[in-house]
Amino acid sequence: MTVTSSSRAPEAKHVGGRTPRIEDRRLLRGQGIFVDDVEVAGGLSMRVVRATMAHARILAIDTEAARALPGVRLVLTGEDVRHLGLIPIEEIGYHEMFPRIDEFGHPLLAVDKVLYVGQPVAAVIAEDPYLAEDAAELVSVDYEELPVLLDPVEAATSSTHLLPGGNEPARFLKQYGDVETAFAQAAHVVSGEFVVGRHTGIPMETRGCIVEPIPARKELWMWGPVHVHDSRRVMAKMLGMPQSSMRMRHTDVGGNFGVKGGAFPEYVLVAHAAQLLGRPVKWIEDRVEHMVGIAHAREQVHRISGAFDAEGRILALRDEVWHNHGAFMRQAEPLVSDITAGMIIGPYRVPAYDVDLHAVLTNKTPLAAYRAPGRFEGTFARERLLDLAASEIGMDPVELRLRNLLTAADLPYEPGIEIAFEPYSFNSGDVLDHVQKALVAADFDAWRAEAEELRAQGRLVGNGVGLLMDKAGLGLYETGSVEVDETGRVRVLTGASNVGQGVETILAQIVADQLGIEPDIIDVLHGDTDLIPDGVGSWSSRSTVLAGGAARLAAIKTRDKALELASEMLEVDVSDLELRDGKVQVVGTPGMSLTLTEIAQRFDNYSARLAGKEPGLGADAVYLDDHMNYPYGITLVQMEVDPTTGSHTIRKFFVSTEAGKVINRLTTEGQIIGAAAQGIGGALFEEFLYDEAGQPLATSFMDYLLPTADVMPRVDYFITEDAPTPNNPFGAKGLGEVGLIAVGAAVAGAIDDALGGEFRVRRVPVHPQALFGMARDAVAGREQTAAQEGASSDTSALDIHLGESPTAGD
């Protein structure tokens, strides 16, 4: 008898609730196993020698002293690994658009010249990490300095080419509608240049990996990479191995946010060294290495213009963007550039649009995706433009936005552009309705009244607003399986990664509801390619929808099989059965029942063979989803600035989102609050600065500012479930990034409002010294000229490259 997925499902008890995180049982007790906790007998340690110049020709590398040090087992230079090639760009469609894109990939070790401070130049493998570090310091590199390019606008047209293919590996042109006519007929045309500085995710755990060779099977076992299946594909290809000979093993991940997700040069070097030496090799980076070697993010220059009618309605947007990718293209790039170009229009009704985005190489650390890649940057530029338009048109900035937001009447909104090879299609929601509800929930009118009253007392208090739209669920498929153990526990396997977002808990909730059991008897396994042959990983707020979708399908198949087997065991028709509280029982006769455990026990290998069926109780599944979903919302910030010190206080912080369907309210709230902290960091604190020679000035937490607990405000949030997406069975929208997307824009607006309403902030982060200067000018009546401000500047005499143009406000 065949049972389909339409069989009666148990009542949902856990999805939508506040199930505590399963992961926390081990993590909060110090029982997590991270990559540096993995020890293999006979292991060696690797230390990387990194470039000390931003752009220079390598004249000579002297490794003799390092090789002669007792305990050193191997020293590698670029010539030793040249044959392995560059780290390949992922095959996700960009090779067809940009046939030479592979030429811009990252080398394992520098050959001929270096392109950024921190680039790997040599690798030393020794008996212990201290000896490896001592030996690395003995490696001497002779450089011939070359011209340095730091600004992406300058680099795009510079005659100095960093690589033979030039400095612009990719360029994205996206357009629809009649932009020229819209601008020609507009009642108001508003333009501005806006800059987002360079920062990155700062996970508690730095990068690291360990590789153990298994000579008898000609295999490599590896711990450390985050997205194990992608990393295995890349590394096996470079090392000339079949994928089946490379096994990725599970570890916990101490934070990722996208920046640890690729196959880094150091990972391939460790594997190659383990192959050569026939011994395990481990590499764990220190924080200084992390600051110059991890994937950086952001850094974009936007020259954006808007055409508006007399009532403030958007007629067209035009933007030219320079995206600073650093010295090489990382594994999945130019994906972030593509997303940026597609998402600038945000949650607004934009009849015509034209964007020209330059993906540019410079002498800085290469970048990759970091939480809300492209959306934080593009949202800042667009929302600042709308604030500027409101000021120039003479409209309230909130009212201007409300007039342009998408409503249910606009759906499906399909303006005619693609994002990452998928047509942009916003098909569920009413942004205007949600934002109006959010403003009421926040009591924003009271915020405004309070700020006005405090300003009347001489205090610098202001409110800022930023609208956001995210894209979530990128990546076509995910894998999953469910197995009911004979002891009563349920095992869920997933191709996703647990990077702190709570995927073990989410999948346990989903499977528990389908099987009518409790999440605490479910074990979720991930990150082991022998257990899970294929998978995609966790990024782009995709885990709940895609990994959850695969787990749900596998659980439904398992439920269907349980009903089928129970119908034979109980000798009743399957239509008379239901699954409730972990038991398959006859409807109306609970005494006639079998637990899932009993079914798994009774349908062992012997019984299955007699019945001519597949043994065990479980199923595999692949969930396909070729449509992204688009959560949206608003971020509100109230700030107070102290003109005597330039310090600030975030008095209120509010963020909203349309979730479609919340799977776990506890983890959703945690995701929003954590993202808000990173958004505040990108708006007010975090930036990788360089001097004019390309030397990084932020290589420790003394120089790279982070928001700490004492400056973090209470984060209030407002979540609606009014518009479930039709693209997945949950109706859920990805929520991992909504908390930070519009923070930069809202903070900038709050600063402007606090300092008297004059439009000032054109770049983020707003550094303390910049905020002090703006506050001082506001109190003094802003009488000083730009030249006078420069003469009395409180900034260091050191020439610091911030990445902004001469017209960018600070």
Side-chain angles (χ1 to χ4, degrees), residues 433-678:
D433 178 68
H434 172 85
V435 170
Q436 289 173 329
K437 290 177 179 176
L439 291 169
V440 172
D443 198 4
F444 191 59
D445 286 340
W447 285 36
R448 286 180 153 177
E450 179 183 39
E452 187 175 350
E453 180 180 343
L454 293 174
R455 285 197 296 268
Q457 299 172 16
R459 295 168 64 178
L460 303 183
V461 178
N463 301 309
V465 57
L467 271 292
L468 67 98
M469 178 174 277
D470 195 9
K471 62 110 213 83
L474 184 63
L476 181 62
Y477 74 96
E478 192 52 89
T479 62
S481 66
V482 172
E483 303 171 7
V484 180
D485 191 90
E486 294 181 7
T487 66
R489 295 198 68 82
V490 175
R491 185 167 78 160
V492 176
L493 305 179
T494 178
S497 312
N498 193 357
V499 293
Q501 82 280 41
V503 71
E504 293 178 25
T505 305
I506 298 297
L507 299 190
Q509 287 179 266
I510 291 169
V511 171
D513 276 356
Q514 293 299 326
L515 298 183
I517 58 179
E518 294 298 315
D520 59 5
I521 68 168
I522 298 176
D523 302 308
V524 179
L525 283 74
H526 49 88
D528 191 315
T529 55
D530 271 15
L531 294 176
I532 307 114
D534 190 22
V536 178
S538 294
W539 40 272
S540 191
S541 294
R542 68 188 302 278
S543 299
T544 294
V545 172
L546 283 100
R552 175 182 174 273
L553 281 178
I556 289 173
K557 290 181 179 180
T558 301
R559 186 185 76 217
D560 292 348
K561 185 174 183 180
L563 291 167
E564 178 183 350
L565 297 177
S567 73
E568 297 177 3
M569 295 176 184
L570 296 173
E571 297 182 344
V572 298
D573 192 88
V574 71
S575 62
D576 294 327
L577 296 176
E578 64 179 354
L579 180 59
R580 185 182 298 273
D581 298 326
K583 295 180 180 180
V584 177
Q585 61 188 34
V586 177
V587 177
T589 312
M592 293 185 62
S593 65
L594 291 167
T595 66
L596 294 176
T597 304
E598 288 173 327
I599 296 171
Q601 289 172 341
R602 290 174 60 178
F603 211 73
D604 57 15
N605 292 344
Y606 176 72
S607 300
R609 181 170 66 85
L610 293 178
K613 295 181 180 295
E614 183 179 340
L617 180 55
D620 301 326
V622 176
Y623 176 75
L624 301 173
D625 188 345
D626 57 358
H627 295 286
M628 290 185 282
N629 55 82
Y630 297 90
Y632 49 84
I634 188 171
T635 299
L636 305 171
V637 172
Q638 185 180 90
M639 285 182 62
E640 180 168 7
V641 178
D642 184 345
T644 63
T645 65
S647 65
H648 68 269
T649 301
I650 299 179
R651 293 169 50 85
K652 296 181 180 181
F653 190 105
F654 176 94
V655 61
S656 78
T657 185
E658 165 54 44
K661 172 64 177 177
V662 174
I663 304 298
N664 186 316
R665 297 190 179 278
L666 192 64
T667 59
T668 294
E669 292 161 6
Q671 287 284 293
I672 290 173
I673 293 170
Q678 291 177 307

Side-chain angles (χ1 to χ4, degrees), residues 186-523:
H188 305 279
V189 173
V190 182
S191 302
E193 178 170 301
F194 305 105
V195 179
V196 176
R198 169 175 290 248
H199 56 278
T200 191
I202 305 292
M204 289 189 290
E205 180 196 37
T206 57
R207 294 177 301 163
C209 66
I210 179 170
V211 174
E212 179 185 13
I214 311 296
R217 301 181 63 179
K218 297 183 180 179
E219 290 182 351
L220 294 178
W221 290 6
M222 185 173 193
W223 296 258
V226 175
H227 303 308
V228 295
H229 297 94
D230 281 349
S231 295
R232 179 180 65 166
R233 282 189 282 269
V234 170
M235 295 179 63
K237 179 179 180 180
M238 294 192 70
L239 296 170
M241 301 172 59
Q243 289 186 42
S244 59
S245 295
M246 189 158 212
R247 179 181 181 183
M248 298 295 183
R249 306 292 301 275
H250 165 79
T251 64
D252 289 306
V253 177
N256 174 32
F257 314 114
V259 299
K260 287 164 60 178
F264 290 92
E266 295 88 348
Y267 295 172
V268 184
L269 291 170
V270 167
H272 181 59
Q275 277 185 320
L276 293 177
L277 297 170
R279 291 178 61 181
V281 179
K282 177 188 280 191
W283 168 71
I284 304 293
E285 72 177 352
D286 60 31
R287 187 59 69 177
V288 173
E289 284 186 291
H290 174 90
M291 301 298 270
V292 299
I294 193 71
H296 287 186
R298 314 299 192 209
E299 194 169 355
Q300 294 181 359
V301 178
H302 290 252
R303 292 177 182 168
I304 186 169
S305 301
F308 300 84
D309 68 14
E311 285 74 41
R313 294 184 181 85
I314 299 171
L315 301 176
L317 291 178
R318 176 190 287 141
D319 196 3
E320 186 168 14
V321 187
W322 290 264
H323 190 184
N324 191 338
H325 277 259
F328 302 100
M329 300 297 273
R330 292 284 195 195
Q331 188 176 336
E333 293 309 302
L335 178 62
V336 176
S337 293
D338 189 355
I339 292 171
T340 300
M343 291 299 295
I344 290 170
I345 58 177
Y348 297 101
R349 190 183 308 103
V350 179
Y353 176 62
D354 187 348
V355 64
D356 182 359
L357 187 146
H358 310 267
V360 185
L361 301 186
T362 66
N363 294 118
K364 294 184 180 181
T365 301
L367 60 73
Y370 166 48
R371 201 171 194 172
R375 281 89 85 199
F376 179 90
E377 304 94 298
T379 298
F380 175 75
R382 180 195 67 241
E383 294 296 298
R384 286 276 71 198
L385 179 74
L386 295 182
D387 281 336
L388 183 59
S391 176
E392 294 193 6
I393 296 172
M395 285 185 64
D396 177 84
V398 173
E399 177 58 31
L400 183 141
R401 288 170 167 85
L402 294 178
R403 291 189 183 187
N404 289 286
L405 290 175
L406 292 167
T407 70
D410 297 308
L411 304 189
Y413 190 67
E414 298 173 339
I417 56 173
E418 287 191 346
I419 303 171
F421 307 104
E422 179 183 316
Y424 170 55
S425 177
F426 176 54
N427 59 7
S428 62
D430 189 319
V431 185
L432 176 61
D433 178 68
H434 172 85
V435 170
Q436 289 173 329
K437 290 177 179 176
L439 291 169
V440 172
D443 198 4
F444 191 59
D445 286 340
W447 285 36
R448 286 180 153 177
E450 179 183 39
E452 187 175 350
E453 180 180 343
L454 293 174
R455 285 197 296 268
Q457 299 172 16
R459 295 168 64 178
L460 303 183
V461 178
N463 301 309
V465 57
L467 271 292
L468 67 98
M469 178 174 277
D470 195 9
K471 62 110 213 83
L474 184 63
L476 181 62
Y477 74 96
E478 192 52 89
T479 62
S481 66
V482 172
E483 303 171 7
V484 180
D485 191 90
E486 294 181 7
T487 66
R489 295 198 68 82
V490 175
R491 185 167 78 160
V492 176
L493 305 179
T494 178
S497 312
N498 193 357
V499 293
Q501 82 280 41
V503 71
E504 293 178 25
T505 305
I506 298 297
L507 299 190
Q509 287 179 266
I510 291 169
V511 171
D513 276 356
Q514 293 299 326
L515 298 183
I517 58 179
E518 294 298 315
D520 59 5
I521 68 168
I522 298 176
D523 302 308

Side-chain angles (χ1 to χ4, degrees), residues 684-705:
L684 290 163
F685 295 98
E686 302 180 48
E687 185 166 21
F688 288 113
L689 305 176
Y690 294 77
D691 69 13
E692 59 185 359
Q695 291 294 326
L697 302 178
T699 57
S700 75
F701 293 154
M702 293 181 64
D703 308 303
Y704 186 88
L705 303 180

